[in-house]
Amino acid sequence: MTTTPAPSPTARAHTARALHTPVIAWFDANARDLPWRHAEAGPWGVMVSEFMLQQTPVGRVLPVYEQWLARWPRPADLAAEPPGEAVRAWGRLGYPRRALRLHAAATAITERHGGEVPTDHAELLALPGVGEYTAAAVASFAYGQRHAVLDTNVRRVLARAVTGVQYPPNATTAAERRLARELLPGEEAVAARWAAATMELGALVCTARAPECGRCPIAARCAWRAAGSPAHDGPPRRGQTYAGTDRQVRGKLLAVLREAHGPVPQAALDAVWDEPVQRARALDGLVADGLVEPLEGGSYRLPLT
């Protein structure tokens, strides 16, 4: 069996240079006007957007983001409130543990960094709730630093344009990180623009289900297209079901607690889902995750501490 040799570092460098200019030019002409891209959003606005945009479409994030920044324009403003208020304001964005993590990050920023989102990548990574992707994204988009920013959209663009496959692996690999670093422009400002541009290209053109190759600025250089756009032959891609899952039950329970102005009795929570075993499991999970506090007498509330 013959295998195709991996491209040399020189070939990779040539590929990178051929991609940078058209992708960044496309971004300059087509980037969406989003509030976290405005200078006045500042590093805190960028961080809030990055937490909210994980696994959530822009259209759902925009109204919550604007309300959040109006209420908590600085990390210290959020840190001064109980974490349950962050969960309440999170609304129906989904994955509400992100709200608790953002509150914890705001508290750490207030206590350790004088209320200013740190500029150093390692200090960002040390904040609670901030992982590899979020630290790189904030450092890049808020401070114009040179980091490989690998979200789902970027990974898909690089998989198709450079690696020649339809989809990236289910989980980010060391090879993907290495490729992303090799493709980074040398100048910090250009690298930050490249990170934003590849992300936008994946979100608007090189989409998962229906890529619009006719609109793509690098279609002529795309390794996947050159190979005849072969279908995905790796492990099955994970689907996201919702109806009937514990996630749906958790969302219904949290909706009751968010709308309440005081403790909620067990009977009010029992009314939202008929199946008692699943309902109890979902409620126990919310308590274990710190999203709900049980009180004496069998009532519940959003967390105060």
Side-chain angles (χ1 to χ4, degrees):
M1 173 179 162
T2 8
T3 57
T4 306
S8 68
T10 304
R12 282 269 178 85
H14 177 74
T15 299
R17 286 193 297 271
L19 297 177
H20 294 159
T21 299
V23 171
I24 292 173
W26 173 87
F27 181 68
D28 290 342
N30 295 278
R32 289 169 291 181
D33 182 18
L34 300 173
W36 45 84
R37 290 178 176 162
H38 297 175
E40 56 267 27
W44 173 238
V46 171
M47 176 173 278
V48 170
S49 75
E50 288 302 331
F51 270 80
M52 290 185 172
L53 287 165
Q54 293 166 25
Q55 299 177 287
T56 308
V58 165
R60 288 179 58 198
V61 166
L62 281 168
V64 181
Y65 172 87
E66 289 167 356
Q67 292 162 12
W68 191 284
L69 267 295
R71 181 173 179 181
W72 298 308
R74 301 170 304 162
D77 300 319
L78 176 58
E81 297 256 23
E85 286 305 301
V87 176
R88 193 189 310 279
W90 199 256
R92 296 186 178 276
L93 284 183
Y95 303 98
R97 276 178 289 182
R98 292 179 293 167
L100 291 182
R101 291 169 184 156
L102 184 50
H103 184 278
T107 301
I109 290 167
T110 303
E111 293 174 350
R112 302 177 199 166
H113 302 287
E116 300 295 329
V117 176
T119 60
D120 182 74
H121 179 268
E123 290 181 341
L124 286 165
L125 198 55
L127 294 173
V130 173
E132 176 186 354
Y133 164 77
T134 303
V138 173
S140 179
F141 302 149
Y143 295 117
Q145 296 176 13
R146 184 178 181 271
H147 293 282
V149 182
L150 274 174
D151 81 334
T152 303
N153 290 313
V154 175
R155 293 176 62 224
R156 187 169 57 254
V157 168
L158 299 187
R160 289 174 179 168
V162 182
T163 312
V165 297
Q166 185 178 16
Y167 299 118
N170 283 335
T172 307
T173 65
E176 286 182 283
R177 294 187 182 95
R178 186 165 56 250
L179 171 61
R181 288 193 296 268
E182 288 174 3
L183 293 175
L184 275 177
E187 295 179 25
E188 283 205 331
V190 181
R193 200 72 177 160
W194 163 254
T198 49
M199 190 175 295
E200 191 80 334
L201 186 64
L204 299 184
V205 174
C206 193
T207 57
R209 294 184 181 176
E212 297 186 50
C213 300
R215 294 177 52 211
C216 181
I218 53 172
R221 300 177 175 89
C222 177
W224 181 56
R225 290 254 298 171
S229 303
H232 178 65
D233 66 353
R237 299 179 67 231
R238 294 191 296 259
Q240 291 194 356
T241 56
Y242 183 71
T245 64
D246 285 5
R247 273 189 61 219
Q248 184 182 22
V249 185
R250 285 163 61 103
K252 287 181 174 291
L253 294 170
L254 272 182
V256 173
L257 289 155
R258 281 198 309 268
E259 292 162 10
H261 297 290
V264 173
Q266 180 76 56
L269 297 176
D270 290 346
V272 306
W273 197 258
D274 291 337
E275 210 291 301
V277 174
Q278 188 179 26
R279 185 180 64 236
R281 183 172 66 241
L283 183 57
D284 288 346
L286 290 171
V287 172
D289 290 342
L291 290 161
V292 173
E293 285 185 4
L295 303 173
E296 290 183 9
S299 58
Y300 298 84
R301 71 182 178 196
L302 296 177
L304 293 181
T305 56

